[in-house]
Amino acid sequence: MEYVIKHGTGFSVEVGSPEEPEITRWTSWGNGDLQQSFMLHTPEGTLITDPVLPQQGEALKILKQRAGRVAAILSLSPLHERHISEAARRYRAPVYGPPSAKKTTKYGRKLNARYGAAQPLPGGVQAIESGDENGEIWLYWQTPKGKKVLINADTIYGQNEQGGMGGRNVSYWMQEKGIRLRATGTPSRTELRRRYERLDALDIDLILNGHNPLPLTNPKAAINEVLSKGTFEVHPSGVCTFMYLDFK
């Protein structure tokens, strides 16, 4: 795997090879959480998810080079507004966002199109509504070479292997060596299961999320294990609900 770090930004080829990347990950740190953005290199152009733009010129040049022709900026969640406006201006690309984001809000006014509109996303990428009340969208894509990937913002945390944190303390919700399913508000255990059991209809090799630095492999079996054996927990403030399980 190719990995380049420039001033708080790390670039790696998540799917494909350095010569023919299919998904490029870039990791940003220094703003609190580790933040993950992705470039999907489709035949119709690059799709950028939840971008966090580097602050240094050299890293911006690397990003521009790796992105190539940008077809769209994809905002997966209003909670991941990040740098969508700046990225749209820099790459002269439309911004797609969740259908639940109201046009009257500051966030909603930054969107050019909604997932689920008449025109499909470029490159055969499929948008799936997660069911979360904040409107988060899941992206499902079979890459040109056949890797089947699901990308989300905050609703599916976790990674199978330890590491990738760059020496940082691991936040509990990142669920290193496990899975944490997150829902906004206080849905019931039955409702959480209903939302995630829909993934059974998809063939998924990897799940990538907006914070964990490593992918979740063999994800469907792992998610089903969480749904059957995991701990159900409501945050004391009521802001969100979890189901989680550590892998043995």
Side-chain angles (χ1 to χ4, degrees):
M1 176 178 291
E2 182 186 21
Y3 197 68
V4 179
I5 299 176
K6 292 291 182 182
H7 306 296
T9 302
F11 299 95
S12 61
V13 177
E14 190 66 54
V15 178
S17 66
E19 296 77 21
E20 295 183 86
E22 296 186 302
I23 298 179
T24 298
R25 173 196 295 270
W26 88 78
T27 300
S28 304
W29 59 91
N31 298 318
D33 296 331
L34 286 170
Q35 297 171 308
Q36 311 296 332
S37 306
F38 299 95
M39 289 182 275
L40 284 61
H41 304 285
T42 83
E44 298 176 40
T46 299
L47 310 186
I48 295 179
T49 71
D50 291 343
V52 179
L53 294 177
Q55 299 302 305
Q56 293 76 21
E58 186 177 359
L60 281 168
K61 289 179 182 178
I62 293 174
L63 177 56
K64 182 178 180 180
Q65 181 182 32
R66 288 168 178 264
R69 182 174 62 85
V70 178
I73 308 294
L74 307 182
S75 181
L76 304 187
S77 167
L79 301 181
H80 278 198
E81 181 177 343
R82 297 179 173 179
H83 297 159
I84 57 171
S85 294
E86 297 90 329
R89 288 194 296 270
R90 179 174 291 273
Y91 296 107
R92 299 181 181 179
V95 178
Y96 287 77
S100 62
K102 296 180 179 179
K103 292 184 179 180
T104 55
T105 67
K106 180 180 177 182
Y107 172 81
R109 289 195 296 272
K110 296 179 178 182
L111 307 177
N112 302 114
R114 308 287 168 149
Y115 292 112
Q119 68 272 28
L121 291 174
V125 177
Q126 179 182 352
I128 302 172
E129 294 191 35
S130 71
D132 196 87
E133 68 179 51
N134 71 20
E136 178 174 323
I137 291 292
W138 295 333
L139 297 180
Y140 179 69
W141 187 42
Q142 180 172 329
T143 73
K145 293 187 177 180
K147 187 74 74 173
K148 302 172 184 70
V149 183
L150 187 82
I151 301 177
N152 79 106
D154 292 324
T155 50
I156 308 172
Y157 293 120
Q159 58 188 59
N160 301 75
E161 303 297 331
Q162 293 180 330
M165 303 295 175
R168 298 173 59 91
N169 292 328
V170 181
S171 299
Y172 75 94
W173 47 263
M174 292 177 75
Q175 204 70 21
E176 189 180 29
K177 292 287 288 181
I179 287 184
R180 180 172 291 262
L181 307 178
R182 178 194 182 279
T184 304
T186 57
S188 66
R189 184 193 299 260
T190 299
E191 170 61 17
L192 275 184
R193 286 174 171 163
R194 184 192 66 79
R195 292 180 191 178
Y196 292 99
E197 284 171 350
R198 294 181 298 133
L199 294 176
D200 281 339
L202 300 176
D203 188 6
I204 305 172
D205 297 311
L206 297 176
I207 290 182
L208 308 173
N209 72 55
H211 294 282
N212 277 85
L214 298 179
L216 181 65
T217 57
N218 194 21
K220 287 175 60 175
I223 287 175
N224 285 334
E225 189 173 3
V226 176
L227 295 177
S228 63
K229 303 178 184 177
T231 299
F232 179 81
E233 176 185 295
V234 178
H235 192 278
S237 69
V239 68
C240 57
T241 303
F242 300 104
M243 284 192 74
Y244 59 90
L245 183 69
D246 288 319
F247 299 146
K248 296 182 179 179

